[in-house]
């Protein structure tokens, strides 16, 4: 599915022009379609190429898998480093990955509810047309409420325009039920596939896939399992043969995506933030994969590497990067790989990839503090970073995630271990890894690593660790590391310089202080923040 939101500015024109009235939008179907199109940009906003999730920074930087190299505070720089070493930086006065505090989410919800309110008031179109429009809009309302719920649990629910004076929070269970019902309606009313003129709109498969994701967060295992199976039983999606193509869109694996146009827009600038300096751009390399992430990859034959010899001190033995499985090579730039025709060095004196110790300079300027660079999600065909914008597609949901969602839900339900194993092994088989059959007691840890590797840098890990309530256990009193390469010497190095922390109260982000002040409903702060 390829989203082409060509009318993002159209809605602003309608809202800001006094010469038109609310009714004019509902005079013909094309106008309503354009109105609905304006909501598709939400896929960009909350995706890895947008800025809503964490002000443009990747939330992977709040985990052990990714490290921003700059000390100076800023987005895609020192802000995330400050958050992991100083969690008190998050408060009810604001938080950079809060979408309630910055007003983004509830403004989006207001616009979506405004459409539904005007539709009820003015639309005289046939019921089937109204259902298709409502289904798309309710999909996006469920999508935005999901973003809120995964941060807060129970939030203020609006199924119409906001009431004067505000409303109190709903329970966590009621919030997830609201999301479920929006996505359920979308799945029931949307087609499996649109005609050519409407290619790119949200489909039944996308609604079920989003439902499978959301219900994992809700802990509603049967609903997550059923929704994943609903996607599978459509027989419309499949894993592509080459993992390196799996997140590129316009293929059988892509269930929900947002397309860009480097010339006419919309476009993005993801590459300019992450390419190494040898790409001819000295403001990239801002965030890079960690040694901890590298060590999550198995060898191509399914066995594991013993990394202890590199942990114990400097070694003249090169790590066996070439022996690692395909997902490593598709996701991470490392010494010896080829990137845009260059053999990468990633060392202290490397012409193609330059290593600097963390804190040596306030901004990295295209260098790496971990000995690696990000490869996944970048456009290897983009060679003029200075003058050409990025236009690779953002894939919000792909089929591999649905299989992993099913695997987790099946495991949680109990009595379905073989189904969980089969779904996980289908993902492994795509990259040639042997099937594994962990026991009930072993499955979750094996699944966790599989999900971390398969969905690496796609925006899942931090939120997964929160919903599993493992962040306060595994993301406390630890540091991330890199591989410092000097000539032929490989040295395991601390690239944090301070311990990282995650407080239990961060599983629930606070109600913003402005909401507590201005909402006259008697809304209370979450218990974790009293």
């Amino acid at each position: 599915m390829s989203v082409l939101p060509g009318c993002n500015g159209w809605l602003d024109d309608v809202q800001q022009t006094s010469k038109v009235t609310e009714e004019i939008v509902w005079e013909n179907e094309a106008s309503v379609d354009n109105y609905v199109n304006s909501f598709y940009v939400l896929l960009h906003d909350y995706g890895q190429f947008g800025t809503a999730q964490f002000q443009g920074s990747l939330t992977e930087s709040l985990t052990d898998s990714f490290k921003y190299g700059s000390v100076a505070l800023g987005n895609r720089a020192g802000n995330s480093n400050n958050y992991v070493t100083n969690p008190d930086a998050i408060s009810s006065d604001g938080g950079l990955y809060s979408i309630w505090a910055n007003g983004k989410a509830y403004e989006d919800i207001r616009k979506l509810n405004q459409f539904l309110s005007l539709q009820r008031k003015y639309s005289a179109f046939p019921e089937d047309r109204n259902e298709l429009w409502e289904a798309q809009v309710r999909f996006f309302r469920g999508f935005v409420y999901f973003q809120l719920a995964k941060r807060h649990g129970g939030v203020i629910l609006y199924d119409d325009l906001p009431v004067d004076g505000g409303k109190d929070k709903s329970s966590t269970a009621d919030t997830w039920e609201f999301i479920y019902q929006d996505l359920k309606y979308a799945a029931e009313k949307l087609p499996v596939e649109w005609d050519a003129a409407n290619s790119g709109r949200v489909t039944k498969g996308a609604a079920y896939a989003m439902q499978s994701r959301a219900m994992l967060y809700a802990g509603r295992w049967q609903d997550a399992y059923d929704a994943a199976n609903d996607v599978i039983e459509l027989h419309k999606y499949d894993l592509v043969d080459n993992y390196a193509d799996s997140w590129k869109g316009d293929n059988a694996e892509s269930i929900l995506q947002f397309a860009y146009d480097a010339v006419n827009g919309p476009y993005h600038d993801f590459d300019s933030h992450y390419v190494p300096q040898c790409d001819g751009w000295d403001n990239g390399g801002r965030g890079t994969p960690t040694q901890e992430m590298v060590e999550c990859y198995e060898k191509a034959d399914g066995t594991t590497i013993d990394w202890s010899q590199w942990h114990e001190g400097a070694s003249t033995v090169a790590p066996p990067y070439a022996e690692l499985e395909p997902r490593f090579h598709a996701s991470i730039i490392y010494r010896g790989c080829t990137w845009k025709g260059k053999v990468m060095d990633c060392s202290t004196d490397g012409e193609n990839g330059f290593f600097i110790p963390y804190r040596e300079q306030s901004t990295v300027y295209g260098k790496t503090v971990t000995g690696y660079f990000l490869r996944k999600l970048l456009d290897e065909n983009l060679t003029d970073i200075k003058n050409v914008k990025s236009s690779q597609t953002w894939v919000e949901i792909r089929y591999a995630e649905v299989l992993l969602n099913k695997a987790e839900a099946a495991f949680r339900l109990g009595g379905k271990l073989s189904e969980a194993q089969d779904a996980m092994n289908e993902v492994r088989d795509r990259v040639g890894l042997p099937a594994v059959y962990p026991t009930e007691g072993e499955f979750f840890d094996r699944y966790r690593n599989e999900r971390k590797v398969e969905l690496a840098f796609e925006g899942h890990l931090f939120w997964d660790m929160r919903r599993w309530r493992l962040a306060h256990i595994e993301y406390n009193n630890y540091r991330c590391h890199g591989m410092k390469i000097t000539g032929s010497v490989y040295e395991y190095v601390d690239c944090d310089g301070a311990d990282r922390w995650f407080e239990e109260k961060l599983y629930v982000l606070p109600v913003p202080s402005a909401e507590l002040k201005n909402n006259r409903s008697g809304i209370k702060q979450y218990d974790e923040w009293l």
Side-chain angles (χ1 to χ4, degrees):
M1 189 183 86
S2 181
V3 174
L4 298 173
C7 301
N8 297 333
W10 172 88
L11 180 59
D12 293 334
D13 293 340
V14 169
Q15 292 175 331
Q16 296 170 10
T17 302
S18 60
K19 295 180 181 179
V20 299
T21 63
E22 292 175 339
E23 296 98 322
I24 198 170
V25 175
W26 304 93
E27 290 182 354
N28 61 76
E29 292 187 11
S31 294
V32 183
D33 281 339
N34 286 338
Y35 195 168
V36 173
N37 288 352
S38 69
F39 300 125
Y40 278 79
V41 75
L42 294 171
L43 297 174
H44 160 77
D45 291 349
Y46 292 96
Q48 294 293 75
F49 302 155
T51 60
Q53 283 284 357
F54 188 17
Q55 301 294 298
S57 302
L58 303 187
T59 54
E60 283 82 357
S61 61
L62 303 173
T63 76
D64 65 351
S65 68
F66 201 71
K67 168 73 179 180
Y68 282 101
S70 295
V71 179
L73 294 181
N75 299 326
R76 307 182 189 89
N79 284 346
S80 58
N81 296 326
N82 184 42
Y83 270 32
V84 294
T85 58
N86 178 29
D88 288 337
I90 301 171
S91 72
S92 57
D93 290 323
L96 294 178
Y97 58 92
S98 172
I99 57 173
W100 187 344
N102 65 20
K104 165 66 174 166
Y106 277 106
E107 178 60 20
D108 291 335
I109 290 166
R110 186 195 65 79
K111 290 177 180 178
L112 291 158
N113 280 332
Q114 181 181 45
F115 174 94
L116 296 173
S117 176
L118 293 175
Q119 183 184 33
R120 289 189 291 269
K121 186 175 182 180
Y122 294 118
S123 180
F125 294 107
E127 182 179 1
D128 59 342
R129 291 297 298 143
N130 280 314
E131 287 177 345
L132 286 174
W133 288 321
E134 181 179 352
Q136 292 172 80
V137 173
R138 288 185 64 177
F139 172 89
F140 284 113
R141 189 174 68 180
F143 175 71
V144 176
Y145 265 118
F146 166 72
Q147 306 297 333
L148 280 166
K150 74 179 184 180
R151 290 165 167 82
H152 300 277
V155 296
I156 302 172
L157 299 177
Y158 292 109
D159 61 0
D160 205 335
L161 292 173
V163 296
D164 184 45
K167 290 177 65 177
D168 199 356
K169 304 189 306 293
S170 293
S171 68
T172 297
D174 286 347
T175 298
W176 286 117
E177 178 63 17
F178 187 93
I179 294 166
Y180 175 81
Q181 291 298 332
D182 267 354
L183 296 176
K184 180 175 181 287
Y185 181 89
E188 289 173 348
K189 302 300 183 182
L190 290 170
V192 174
E193 188 171 3
W194 292 81
D195 60 26
N198 287 285
S199 177
R201 297 190 180 279
V202 178
T203 62
K204 185 181 296 292
Y208 280 133
M210 185 59 67
Q211 195 177 73
S212 79
R213 178 191 291 179
M215 292 302 99
L216 283 187
Y217 281 76
R220 292 170 50 163
W221 313 122
Q222 188 66 54
D223 288 331
Y225 173 85
D226 290 344
N229 270 337
D230 285 334
V231 177
I232 294 167
E233 290 169 6
L234 291 174
H235 302 292
K236 178 176 174 57
Y237 309 103
D238 202 354
L239 300 176
V240 296
D241 292 338
N242 184 4
Y243 175 76
D245 294 329
S246 65
W247 64 84
K248 294 181 179 178
D250 297 320
N251 56 40
E253 189 156 348
S254 178
I255 299 176
L256 180 64
Q257 67 180 47
F258 186 93
Y260 300 87
D261 183 334
V263 177
N264 302 308
Y267 41 69
H268 57 91
D269 56 3
F270 188 82
D271 294 79
S272 70
H273 299 304
Y274 297 101
V275 293
Q277 193 178 57
C278 61
D279 272 31
W281 178 250
D282 61 6
N283 201 24
R286 297 185 182 189
T288 55
T290 62
Q291 183 63 30
E292 281 75 12
M293 185 65 219
V294 171
E295 294 181 16
C296 290
Y297 292 93
E298 301 169 41
K299 294 171 68 172
D301 62 4
T303 60
T304 58
I305 291 174
D306 180 1
W307 290 93
S308 61
Q309 66 173 302
W310 291 279
H311 292 192
E312 293 166 358
S315 174
T316 57
V317 177
Y321 296 127
E323 297 178 26
L324 293 175
E325 55 120 321
R327 291 177 292 192
F328 167 75
H329 299 284
S331 302
I332 295 176
I333 294 172
Y334 59 94
R335 189 184 207 181
C337 79
T338 300
W339 169 252
K340 296 186 180 179
K342 301 180 178 73
V343 177
M344 301 299 291
D345 194 20
C346 304
S347 68
T348 56
D349 57 356
E351 180 179 352
N352 296 330
F354 195 94
F355 176 93
I356 58 168
Y358 181 58
R359 295 185 184 276
E360 182 172 288
Q361 57 189 47
S362 62
T363 304
V364 290
Y365 295 117
K367 302 176 178 65
T368 173
V369 300
T370 65
Y372 306 99
F373 291 94
L374 183 65
R375 184 172 205 145
K376 189 176 186 179
L377 303 180
L378 295 178
D379 182 359
E380 196 161 353
N381 295 315
L382 180 58
T383 57
D384 186 359
I385 304 296
K386 292 182 179 179
N387 300 304
V388 180
K389 293 291 187 180
S390 298
S391 60
Q392 58 268 39
T393 297
W394 166 242
V395 178
E396 175 63 36
I397 308 177
R398 57 189 180 88
Y399 188 62
E401 182 198 338
V402 172
L403 291 173
L404 292 171
N405 293 349
K406 177 181 177 178
E408 183 173 349
F411 168 71
R412 298 289 191 182
L413 284 169
K416 296 182 181 295
L417 179 61
S418 62
E419 283 192 64
Q421 293 168 338
D422 288 347
M424 185 172 71
N425 282 329
E426 187 172 345
V427 174
R428 291 174 60 82
D429 183 64
R430 185 251 296 279
V431 291
L433 287 172
V436 292
Y437 298 95
T439 65
E440 289 275 0
E442 300 166 336
F443 180 85
F444 183 64
D445 284 343
R446 194 67 186 254
Y447 167 81
R448 276 182 54 198
N449 194 73
E450 193 66 36
R451 186 176 177 93
K452 181 177 182 179
V453 167
E454 175 66 30
L455 303 178
F457 315 121
E458 295 180 47
H460 294 275
L461 179 59
F462 175 63
W463 307 107
D464 283 342
M465 291 295 284
R466 289 175 84 255
R467 70 181 175 87
W468 291 328
R469 297 192 71 85
L470 290 173
H472 77 286
I473 299 171
E474 298 190 15
Y475 290 165
N476 254 332
N477 195 26
Y478 80 107
R479 299 186 184 190
C480 287
H481 297 82
M483 189 68 75
K484 178 182 178 181
I485 307 170
T486 306
S488 60
V489 177
Y490 295 79
E491 183 181 359
Y492 182 74
V493 294
D494 174 359
C495 62
D496 277 337
D499 289 343
R500 295 184 174 211
W501 303 95
F502 185 97
E503 298 179 353
E504 284 192 71
K505 69 179 183 178
L506 294 178
Y507 286 125
V508 178
L509 292 185
V511 177
S513 56
E515 186 75 49
L516 295 172
K517 178 181 179 180
N518 299 324
N519 188 332
R520 299 193 300 275
S521 71
I523 188 172
K524 298 293 193 298
Q525 182 59 271
Y526 295 106
D527 291 345
E528 291 86 346
W529 291 86
L530 292 176

